[in-house]
Amino acid sequence: MDKSGMPWHLRYLGQPEIGDKNRYALVRNCVDIATSDNLTDFLVEMGFRMDHEFVAKGHVFRKGIMKIMVYKIFRILMPGNTESIEPLSLSYLVELNVVAPAGQDVVSDDMRNFAEQLKPLVHLEKIDPKRLM
């Protein structure tokens, strides 16, 4: 959002797979779609309603197939106005994700090994989506 004309994208995240509890990472289906800038109008026409919006400002790093995002989340004070924001906290969120074919459980070990290098600054934690509802 810092630069006008940048591409928009829509990401659908499926339900977490029920699998091995010893797995270090949450596994779910993911669909990324490139869109035009009238995405919000299209979604409203389809019957969706806005639940919440936020601004994430930070950096994206890559290491092999891993994508590491370090960012702060900001609350939007006036809906639709991304200039009027305030931080939700003083902390940064570190997100590590990998897009890989189904059945590649060894990727979660790679993620754990990378996260171990960030200790004690960052603690790898699987988030249970059911707790957030």
Side-chain angles (χ1 to χ4, degrees):
M1 302 200 71
D2 289 340
K3 298 178 182 113
S4 63
M6 294 298 289
W8 286 51
H9 80 274
L10 175 67
R11 172 174 285 170
Y12 169 78
L13 294 173
Q15 293 295 320
E17 286 183 11
I18 306 299
D20 184 8
K21 296 289 184 193
N22 295 328
R23 197 183 280 166
Y24 294 105
L26 190 68
V27 176
R28 59 170 74 197
N29 287 330
C30 173
V31 178
D32 277 318
I33 305 161
T35 69
S36 62
D37 61 355
N38 64 349
L39 173 64
T40 52
D41 296 335
F42 175 73
L43 291 173
V44 169
E45 288 295 321
M46 293 281 296
F48 290 91
R49 65 176 178 77
M50 177 73 73
D51 186 48
H52 62 278
E53 66 180 335
F54 61 90
V55 171
K57 288 187 176 188
H59 307 279
V60 177
F61 302 92
R62 290 202 173 273
K63 180 179 182 188
I65 62 171
M66 283 188 276
K67 182 167 67 171
I68 302 99
M69 294 173 286
V70 181
Y71 55 91
K72 278 190 175 188
I73 298 178
F74 294 82
R75 173 189 350 255
I76 296 179
L77 300 175
M78 294 175 20
N81 182 358
T82 57
E83 300 298 321
S84 176
I85 59 176
E86 71 178 11
L88 281 178
S89 98
L90 298 176
S91 299
Y92 281 87
L93 178 66
V94 178
E95 181 179 335
L96 171 62
N97 67 50
V98 174
V99 177
Q104 293 227 344
D105 291 339
V106 77
V107 171
S108 70
D109 292 333
D110 294 340
M111 293 174 75
R112 180 182 54 98
N113 292 336
F114 180 77
E116 288 290 326
Q117 296 175 21
L118 300 178
K119 280 186 177 178
L121 298 174
V122 176
H123 175 70
L124 176 66
E125 179 179 328
K126 284 194 302 191
I127 298 173
D128 183 5
K130 294 175 189 158
R131 277 190 331 186
L132 301 176
M133 299 293 178

